Amino acid sequence: MNTRGLMELIALNIGFELGILSDRVFTMLVIMALATTALTGPLLTWFGAQKSAEPDGQPHPART
């Protein structure tokens, strides 16, 4: 887990303990934090591979 995801979970826990967040909102935000943290690496890799491809769809020779 990256530091952004950890800070988000810490802030959510504090908000939940102070009674600012309901059980339902807390659960939704925790799931969102975990999902976005888990998907960040694979999506960046996938979009990076898409961006590095030549216009004809073949990868750049220096990057293979």
Side-chain angles (χ1 to χ4, degrees), residues 15-47:
F16 183 67
E17 289 175 3
L18 293 175
I20 297 170
L21 301 172
S22 68
D23 290 343
R24 187 175 192 165
V25 172
F26 175 75
T27 302
M28 289 188 303
L29 292 174
V30 167
I31 291 170
M32 184 207 58
L34 295 174
T36 57
T37 300
L39 291 174
T40 299
L43 286 175
L44 286 174
T45 302
W46 185 73
F47 283 118

Side-chain angles (χ1 to χ4, degrees), residues 5-17 21 26:
L6 289 174
M7 286 302 297
E8 187 172 357
L9 291 177
I10 291 169
L12 289 173
N13 278 319
I14 292 171
F16 183 67
E17 289 175 3
L21 301 172
F26 175 75

